[in-house]
Amino acid sequence: MVIDTQAAGRLLMGPGPSNAYPESLAAAGRPLIGHLDPVFLAILDDTSAGLRAVMGTDNELTFPISGTGSAGMEAAFVNWVAPGDVVVIGVNGVFGQRMCDVADRLGAEVVKVEHEWGEALSVERMLSAHPAPAIIAAVHAETSTGVLSDVASIGANKGDALFLVDCVTSVGGVPVELDAWGVDIAYSGTQKCLGVAPGLAPFTANERARERMLDRPVSWYLDLNMIEKYVTGEGARAYHHTAPINAIRGLHAGLATILAEGLDAVFERHRSCGGALFDGLMSLGFEPFAQEGNRIPHLTTAYLPEGVDDAKARRTLLEDFGIEVGGGLGPVAGKIWRVSAMGETARAAHVNTGLAAITAVVS
Ligand SMILES: *Cc1c(COP(=O)(O)O)cnc(C)c1O
């Protein structure tokens, strides 16, 4: 048995899980009820309503997929991509690359629109990549690079294509207006700005997308034709798979916390805490990695100051200060840090604690 009391008070400033809202953790620890219990179904419906608010959509089919953000990505592709379909995918980091892998496994003709890491997606290149794609896919906030892309301008000019967006690191941290932006299919994750434990993928699809859903996707577990009957209540609330009841209760309470604070206040908290982190890191000699004007406000990506040993410094932060920050991935592994203030981590006291520790470790 691993004893984890020592790790109980970690401050999570990496873009993996952030600290969760206490109300969410408490709700996830409630006694179990059944997945067809009317009380639980009411909680599920209320969770979907909360997700519509944070995702900026009226879509009926809005619910938490059982599985992490990656399950949301898989569901977004597997229910719509048939072999030979042309799928245009913007790649400016790890998660766009993953979309290509998922689409490729489904037999799609993937049209990859590659960008330098640290750059935002080029709207023009995304729209001119193919004359008639079935799907155009983009990552709103690329967690591997710290870049926020302009998905609204892609959505406004998508033509007949379905527009699919990963908003794992944006929902709950910055305004997301899926309906206004012309997004047809989108997914998120619970453990980033929503301040909820990992395990669910908020998901939504509009009527335009639902009309084009495959009748028999290759995944049985993620087949929305079956799952939608349970989540929308159309027809019987029949058993498909057991909903992760307590994970959903945790999300329900997290969303309630966010909506009670007010979305504008929550975004402002992410913006101001993220801004303080950025300024603090720059004053310590870090250099920005993500392109100016396209930075995720709550996630700073920055080159380490000269002479700082990446692995050693992050180990000291974790072991001696109980603080986790993220390292670089792919081409920037060992060179950059990813430091975030998301969910419950986005509090001034946490940011100050984090910066004080980073100062001690890098100077
Ligand atoms: C974290 C993340 C994912 C994957 O989510 P998991 O919960 O790790 O499966 C997908 N896309 C983006 C942009 C992410 O940041």
Side-chain angles (χ1 to χ4, degrees), residues 15 68-71 73 95 98 139 141-143 166 168-169 187 189 191-192 198:
T68 64
S70 305
M73 184 187 289
F95 294 103
R98 270 198 194 176
V139 177
E142 219 340 315
T143 321
D166 174 317
V168 175
T169 294
Y187 58 89
Q191 74 272 29
K192 287 164 182 160

Side-chain angles (χ1 to χ4, degrees), residues 81-269:
V81 177
D85 284 355
V86 174
V87 182
V88 168
I89 303 178
V91 178
N92 61 344
V94 166
F95 294 103
Q97 186 59 46
R98 270 198 194 176
M99 283 179 159
C100 296
D101 190 17
V102 172
D104 180 60
R105 288 176 191 219
L106 295 169
E109 186 189 315
V110 176
V111 179
K112 211 191 241 195
V113 186
E114 296 231 47
H115 298 71
E116 288 290 324
W117 281 44
E119 278 182 7
L121 297 177
S122 152
V123 174
E124 206 221 308
R125 289 184 57 217
M126 290 292 290
L127 293 172
S128 60
H130 191 278
I135 294 177
I136 300 172
V139 177
H140 185 209
E142 219 340 315
T143 321
S144 60
T145 63
V147 166
L148 192 68
S149 287
D150 173 14
V151 293
S153 298
I154 300 173
N157 298 288
K158 68 188 175 185
D160 187 54
L162 289 175
F163 187 32
L164 187 169
V165 175
D166 174 317
C167 36
V168 175
T169 294
S170 51
V171 168
V174 293
V176 170
E177 296 291 347
L178 297 179
D179 290 354
W181 297 348
V183 177
D184 299 290
I185 305 162
Y187 58 89
S188 187
T190 43
Q191 74 272 29
K192 287 164 182 160
C193 298
L194 288 173
V196 171
L200 295 171
F203 188 90
T204 192
N206 63 15
E207 292 311 311
R208 186 169 181 263
R210 286 172 82 180
E211 281 163 17
R212 300 188 201 180
M213 244 162 61
L214 302 181
D215 292 334
R216 203 165 180 277
V218 296
S219 170
W220 182 90
Y221 190 72
L222 296 173
D223 183 347
L224 292 174
N225 298 287
M226 293 190 281
I227 298 171
E228 71 182 1
K229 293 189 174 62
Y230 175 75
V231 298
T232 64
E234 274 169 21
R237 296 271 203 170
Y239 167 66
H240 173 258
H241 66 272
T242 309
I245 296 150
N246 279 34
I248 291 172
R249 298 189 86 170
L251 174 58
H252 180 243
L255 289 166
T257 301
I258 289 170
L259 296 174
E261 183 178 347
L263 281 176
D264 289 343
V266 170
F267 299 150
E268 173 54 25
R269 183 158 56 74

Side-chain angles (χ1 to χ4, degrees), residues 35-61:
H35 66 110
L36 293 170
D37 187 316
V39 172
F40 175 68
L41 292 170
I43 289 174
L44 178 63
D45 288 347
D46 205 35
T47 303
S48 297
L51 289 177
R52 289 185 191 101
V54 293
M55 298 176 93
T57 182
D58 291 332
N59 294 341
E60 184 197 25
L61 186 61

